[in-house]
Amino acid sequence: MIPRGAPYIGWSDLLAAALHCLDPRSPRAAQRDVEAFWASNTVACLSVRTGLDAMLQVLAFPAGSEVVVSAITIPHILDILAKHELVAVPVDLDLDTLSVGASALRAVITGKTKAILVAHLFGSRMPMDDIVRVARDAGVMLLEDCAQANDGSGYRGHDDSDVTMFSFGSIKRQTALGGGLLRFNDPALADKVRAMVESYPRQSRLSYFKRVLTMVFIKSVASYPVFQLFVALCRLARKDHDETLGTALRGFRHGDLFARLRHQPSAPMLRVLGRRLRQSLDVPIAERVAVVQAVTREFVELPRPGSGASHHTHWLFPVMTPEPERLKLHLWAKGFDATAGASNLLSVPAPEGRHVAENAERFMREVLYLPLYPDATTTQMRSLARVLRDFDPA
């Protein structure tokens, strides 16, 4: 079976990460370096989740306040909002562009709305000007989640977003095996969030070293011969290899979420993040885009969410099909490691009395992620296109 592709980190970076775990120096200089390199009024956190939770503690919105959320997001966003007794209200997406429309946004804002949280998805980047205007007209905060949109272009979020959030977790393009950077337009709010984060205990070097070892395993498995052995062993053990890999990549998979995320980033994580931020993404992203363009010229007209986006680097490649599980098994049988759950997303349920986000619900029912990656050969990608063309969804 052709694997879904290797993590976005090199062996030299993993070696550096392991060596940094032995470095006894204080993390303060590394933290200042990362924050200054990124942008003014930036706070480095263990994860974006950590920063969002800390910010909501500082803001202390009244219980029952509403936060309008892109209708496709990660489950922990909803967990964090619920922890602060806030109500998540979904705003549906245009699946062609993966963007939030201004009219759809205005329709869900009420007098209870305190913030808008929009997320760029799968490497696409939605236009933000209209969203900024809606937020300003409504007098609410605008939070821009760029966790899946980092492309190395220097984009730090829209200048007028109150907060922009970038993630460097295990599956991200510039992964540091964790870490989040939040840029604030209000320096006073940045200082308060930084003080909140600094009140937390610091992630241990041992904890981070375990992440390094996990990534060594994941990267090793991504090579073709090792992946064949891994899949065979999972089948012998009656385990789903897709679920096993997905679980290993998640940063907060066990125990109490808030006990785990309320930590400061460790010194080695900060040093690895500083190293990774200085590495160019131009070549790997150009290769990824080229692979996607080559394959999509050949395969069947499956609906492709985001195909109409004005800016897209194809961090993941989702398609939609009425029977995603059947197509996944069909691709597995033909030797392609497609997955239905690698991105750990959900459609945001509508509160009582509010409209269901129908496009998001349909997306989650029908989505499948294809294994397109730069290391694949032209022959392999043409074979994938042929398998997709030949699939009968009836």
Side-chain angles (χ1 to χ4, degrees), residues 27-45 156 166 168 176 178-183 194 265-278:
R28 296 298 179 190
Q31 181 144 352
R32 287 194 300 269
D33 171 68
V34 165
E35 292 176 349
F37 179 85
W38 190 251
S40 59
N41 304 318
T42 292
V43 180
C45 301
R156 300 294 187 255
F166 283 78
F168 303 89
L181 294 174
L182 279 70
R183 179 188 63 80
R194 182 178 292 105
S266 65
M269 177 185 285
L270 290 165
R271 293 194 176 95
V272 173
L273 180 53
R275 172 191 173 97
R276 297 287 283 146
L277 291 178
R278 289 170 170 82

Side-chain angles (χ1 to χ4, degrees), residues 25 29 41 63 93 103 123 141 195 236 260 263 303 314 354 359 377:
R25 286 178 295 170
N41 304 318
L93 299 172
S103 58
M141 288 188 71
L236 283 174
R260 293 178 65 83
H263 283 75
H314 307 288
R354 307 300 287 270
N359 289 343
T377 67

Side-chain angles (χ1 to χ4, degrees), residues 224-254:
Y224 181 80
V226 178
F227 189 73
Q228 312 314 303
L229 176 61
F230 173 73
V231 171
L233 291 174
C234 284
R235 288 175 177 170
L236 283 174
R238 299 180 182 275
K239 291 184 177 181
D240 186 319
H241 76 273
D242 187 28
E243 182 179 347
T244 301
L245 284 175
T247 299
L249 285 166
R250 292 184 190 121
F252 298 97
R253 60 184 185 271
H254 300 303

Side-chain angles (χ1 to χ4, degrees), residues 22 26 57 86 104 107 162 166 168 175-176 185 189 201 211 246 261 275 322 328 338 343 346:
L22 304 175
S26 165
Q57 290 182 74
L86 303 175
D162 292 293
F166 283 78
F168 303 89
T175 178
N185 268 357
L189 179 57
R211 291 194 182 193
L261 65 80
R275 172 191 173 97
K328 180 184 79 171
S343 65
L346 54 66

